[in-house]
Amino acid sequence: MKRLLYTVAGGALFAVLSYFLVELFAQWYGPRYIKSDSDIGNIYMISLGFMLVCLIIGAVFGFKLAGKRPSTTNS
């Protein structure tokens, strides 16, 4: 159950962060380089792909983080 929670939380965290990165990029890129509806469609698809990759990376990161055992040393 812990792994599932960490996996979902990691994926969600990375997805939200990637959304804000895409928004910042769109505010910079849009006024400068978008000239047609085709440009908007291309950037939209690239942004969705980027957010999907971030979601997957976050889920993998959360899954691996949940699997780490705390190191205990008995001295």
Side-chain angles (χ1 to χ4, degrees), residues 5-16 51 54-60 62:
L5 180 65
Y6 274 59
T7 302
V8 171
L13 179 66
F14 274 55
V16 169
M51 288 189 278
C54 287
L55 176 105
I56 292 169
I57 290 172
V60 169

Side-chain angles (χ1 to χ4, degrees):
M1 190 68 176
K2 177 183 172 185
R3 280 196 165 200
L4 177 64
L5 180 65
Y6 274 59
T7 302
V8 171
L13 179 66
F14 274 55
V16 169
L17 290 176
S18 71
Y19 174 78
F20 287 118
L21 285 175
V22 166
E23 283 296 315
L24 287 173
F25 176 75
Q27 289 177 0
W28 171 81
Y29 185 84
R32 290 173 178 79
Y33 299 107
I34 292 180
K35 304 294 183 213
S36 68
D37 289 341
S38 177
D39 294 340
I40 294 171
N42 291 338
I43 292 301
Y44 186 74
M45 293 306 291
I46 290 169
S47 298
L48 285 177
F50 173 73
M51 288 189 278
L52 176 65
V53 168
C54 287
L55 176 105
I56 292 169
I57 290 172
V60 169
F61 179 74
F63 184 80
K64 293 202 181 264
L65 187 65
K68 289 190 177 191
R69 306 257 189 258
S71 60
T72 56
T73 55
N74 295 333
S75 299

